[in-house]
């Protein structure tokens, strides 16, 4: 039986990874921070999956080596921070894990996204370079847009977490006709576990490019399934660039809705072609679920 360590298992993506790993029959291990270790409510679902709890921190090299040394493979689903992720890379190299899925991949395909345009993506590139330099047996999964972030906000990242979702007012970026691709966290976990069981996926990159749609199409779909009609605020590409100048992380909006980088064809193999037995949740299904949850 293979053992798998999930880092970030109490988060939305991490919890899906933990469930997928348990369904796969893995011996499930999770790394939690000391503050989380005493929170029985947050750990209950993981313990119900039979997870072994390791207490540590991404900045604590020794705790990372101890946890990684107890397993065969590691999945990191935490937000990338250059210092912490570099410490993790070093610890996994020294622990000798057989496979590593880094959080550096959960986002845009490096082959499509322009360097220098989105600071978090540049951090991810640096982490990936360190992984290759350490000669870790990696599998990188490029996910493009998460349902919980992009579909639930109708493509308006600025609305994330600010109001009951989907929002009643949505900014439409550019002409609203640039396509992007999206995937649910559950499907990200399914692809990840499938790739971990694929010996051909060692030292490889895989992209998920399902659910291709424009922002205008997504808003129209929400109107149709929910009967609601959000107010639309138009923002030109030039106006968005002015915002990015003072808040560089908003370069993600440029990548999705101006440059269309998540929908560009690259040489990176696509998950649905590699694993045709997998099925993927649809944007329409996600929006119907949101409509039901908000009392359509």
């Amino acid at each position: 039986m293979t053992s798998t360590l999930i880092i970030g298992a109490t988060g939305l993506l991490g919890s899906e990874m933990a469930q997928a790993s348990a369904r796969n029959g893995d011996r499930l291990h999770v790394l939690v921070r000391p503050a989380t270790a005493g929170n029985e409510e947050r750990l209950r679902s993981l313990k119900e999956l039979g997870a072994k709890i390791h207490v540590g921190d991404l900045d604590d090299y020794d705790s990372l080596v101890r946890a990684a040394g107890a397993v065969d493979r590691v999945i990191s689903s935490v937000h990338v921070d250059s210092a912490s992720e570099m410490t993790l890379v070093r610890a996994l190299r020294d622990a000798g894990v057989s496979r590593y899925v880094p959080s550096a991949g959960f986002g845009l395909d490096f082959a499509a996204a322009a360097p220098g345009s989105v600071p978090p993506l540049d951090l991810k590139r640096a982490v990936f370079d360190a992984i290759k330099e350490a000669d870790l047996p990696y599998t990188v999964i490029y996910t493009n847009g998460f349902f919980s972030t992009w579909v639930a906000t109708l493509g308006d990242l600025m609305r994330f977490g600010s109001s009951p979702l989907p929002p009643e007012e949505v900014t439409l970026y550019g002409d609203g006709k640039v396509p992007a691709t999206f995937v649910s966290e559950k499907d990200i976990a399914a692809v990840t576990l499938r790739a971990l069981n694929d010996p051909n996926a060692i030292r490889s990159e895989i992209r998920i490019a399902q659910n291709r749609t424009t922002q205008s199409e997504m808003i129209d779909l929400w109107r149709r399934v929910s009967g609601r009609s959000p107010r639309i605020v138009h923002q030109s590409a030039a106006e968005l660039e002015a915002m990015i100048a003072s808040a560089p992380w908003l370069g993600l909006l440029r990548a999705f809705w101006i440059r269309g980088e998540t929908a560009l064809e690259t040489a990176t193999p696509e998950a649905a072609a590699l694993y045709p037995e997998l099925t993927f949740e649809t944007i329409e299904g996600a929006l119907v679920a949101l409509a039901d949850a908000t009392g359509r």
Side-chain angles (χ1 to χ4, degrees):
M1 184 184 295
T2 301
S3 54
T4 302
L5 173 70
I6 313 291
I7 300 176
T10 58
L12 183 56
L13 178 58
S15 64
E16 293 289 355
M17 292 289 187
Q19 292 175 58
S21 180
R23 286 194 298 269
N24 189 60
D26 297 355
R27 290 192 301 269
L28 176 61
H29 296 240
V30 299
L31 179 75
V32 301
R33 300 176 194 171
T36 304
N39 189 329
E40 285 299 320
E41 183 63 29
R42 294 193 70 185
L43 295 181
R44 181 175 293 113
S45 61
L46 294 172
K47 289 183 176 180
E48 288 173 351
L49 292 174
K52 177 175 175 55
I53 309 298
H54 298 263
V55 180
D57 190 275
L58 283 180
D59 291 316
D60 182 346
Y61 167 84
D62 290 336
S63 71
L64 296 176
V65 170
R66 284 194 299 272
V71 301
D72 302 304
R73 54 201 195 181
V74 175
I75 302 169
S76 174
S77 61
V78 298
H79 292 294
V80 167
D81 175 87
S82 58
S84 296
E85 198 82 358
M86 294 301 188
T87 302
L88 178 59
V89 168
R90 183 164 57 93
L92 299 186
R93 177 200 63 196
D94 294 346
V97 298
S98 64
R99 191 88 71 91
Y100 174 39
V101 179
S103 58
F106 297 134
L108 280 69
D109 185 343
F110 296 155
S117 63
V118 187
L121 189 61
D122 290 337
L123 286 178
K124 291 184 176 188
R125 290 180 196 277
V127 170
F128 191 25
D129 288 344
I131 290 168
K132 290 186 286 188
E133 185 176 343
D135 197 27
L136 278 171
Y138 64 84
T139 300
V140 168
I141 311 292
Y142 297 118
T143 57
N144 296 311
F146 286 22
F147 273 17
S148 65
T149 306
W150 292 92
V151 174
T153 62
L154 302 179
D156 187 356
L157 191 61
M158 295 291 288
R159 311 289 177 179
F160 179 66
S162 64
S163 64
L165 300 178
E168 296 180 357
E169 181 177 281
V170 178
T171 301
L172 186 72
Y173 298 95
D175 62 8
K177 298 178 181 179
V178 174
T181 63
F182 304 93
V183 63
S184 73
E185 284 82 350
K186 183 177 180 179
D187 288 341
I188 294 169
V191 170
T192 299
L193 266 294
R194 179 64 182 85
L196 281 175
N197 292 327
D198 179 2
N200 294 321
I202 298 176
R203 292 184 175 83
S204 70
E205 302 163 57
I206 298 169
R207 68 188 179 101
I208 306 174
Q210 303 299 300
N211 291 305
R212 180 186 174 106
T213 190
T214 69
Q215 192 182 12
S216 289
E217 288 170 342
M218 188 155 49
I219 293 170
D220 287 344
L221 181 57
W222 173 243
R223 289 193 183 107
R224 179 167 63 82
V225 302
S226 71
R228 302 184 181 202
S229 190
R231 296 185 299 275
I232 304 300
V233 178
H234 293 271
Q235 185 170 94
S236 69
E239 290 169 331
L240 177 58
E241 286 299 328
M243 291 178 60
I244 293 170
S246 58
W249 68 272
L250 293 176
L252 279 171
L253 288 166
R254 176 211 286 136
F256 273 73
W257 298 130
I258 305 300
R259 294 180 176 172
E261 290 174 335
T262 71
L264 294 177
E265 291 295 327
T266 72
T268 308
E270 210 280 322
L274 288 174
Y275 310 123
E277 72 278 11
L278 296 180
T279 58
F280 292 85
E281 296 183 48
T282 66
I283 291 174
E284 181 173 2
L287 290 177
V288 167
L290 285 169
D292 290 342
T294 54
R296 177 178 56 177

